[in-house]
Amino acid sequence: MQNVGSAFQPMEGRVAVTSALAVANFLLDQAKAEGRPIRQLKLQKLIYFCYAWYAGNKGEELFSEDIEAWQFGPVVREVYLEFKDAGASPITHRATSMDWEAFDLVEPELPSELAEELKPVWDTYKAKSDAWLVEA
């Protein structure tokens, strides 16, 4: 994937409610529960849709990581780096991040109320192919 510029700038004065890795884990959990393989490209697009849906409905930033415009669509670099080893294959593990206070790796989680708010995004796009999502 190639970075061709930044697609979004952070909303000024707003505090993000979660992290992009937590959104990724939510989507990966949904995919696993339904037996749907999910690849990096689809994951990135769904993260973007979650961000856009939340910002449009709440007027707030879902997460503070930058969304970059890459050749095949929006990419959160932190998520890309977490799952780049999967290549074009389905992702088989959850994202982790460092909890510096506990000095331990953790799997970021969405609060349950936020997961319920984002579930319609998953339900709308889960059956769409990677190719369809690139064109969306």
Side-chain angles (χ1 to χ4, degrees), residues 47-92:
I47 290 169
Y48 169 76
F49 287 160
C50 285
Y51 182 96
W53 182 92
Y54 192 85
N57 285 296
K58 302 289 187 177
E60 297 176 353
E61 221 174 23
L62 179 59
F63 52 81
S64 61
E65 294 90 341
D66 289 336
I67 300 173
E68 301 174 6
W70 286 22
Q71 182 180 359
F72 296 109
V75 171
V76 177
R77 185 175 297 272
E78 291 83 352
V79 175
Y80 170 76
L81 293 172
E82 179 71 18
F83 298 113
K84 72 179 181 177
D85 290 343
S89 298
I91 296 168
T92 59

Side-chain angles (χ1 to χ4, degrees), residues 31-56:
K32 183 177 182 180
E34 296 182 19
R36 294 178 178 274
I38 189 167
R39 293 169 181 77
Q40 175 92 249
L41 192 144
K42 185 171 194 169
L43 180 63
Q44 292 285 353
K45 195 70 171 212
L46 293 178
I47 290 169
Y48 169 76
F49 287 160
C50 285
Y51 182 96
W53 182 92
Y54 192 85

Side-chain angles (χ1 to χ4, degrees), residues 10 13 15 20 29 33 49 52 60 73 75 77 79 83 90 94 103 106 115 122 130:
V15 176
D29 290 346
F49 287 160
E60 297 176 353
V75 171
R77 185 175 297 272
V79 175
F83 298 113
R94 298 180 91 233
F103 203 68
V106 297
W122 168 255
D130 293 0

Side-chain angles (χ1 to χ4, degrees), residues 26-37 119 122-127:
F26 162 74
L27 294 166
L28 290 166
D29 290 346
Q30 296 300 304
K32 183 177 182 180
E34 296 182 19
R36 294 178 178 274
K119 183 104 169 47
W122 168 255
D123 289 337
T124 300
Y125 297 104
K126 65 185 177 185

Side-chain angles (χ1 to χ4, degrees), residues 14-20 22-23 54 58 60-64 109-111 113-114 117-118:
R14 306 277 182 164
V15 176
V17 297
T18 192
S19 71
V23 176
Y54 192 85
K58 302 289 187 177
E60 297 176 353
E61 221 174 23
L62 179 59
F63 52 81
S64 61
E109 300 282 346
L110 286 184
E113 64 276 2
L114 184 55
E117 290 183 57
L118 296 180

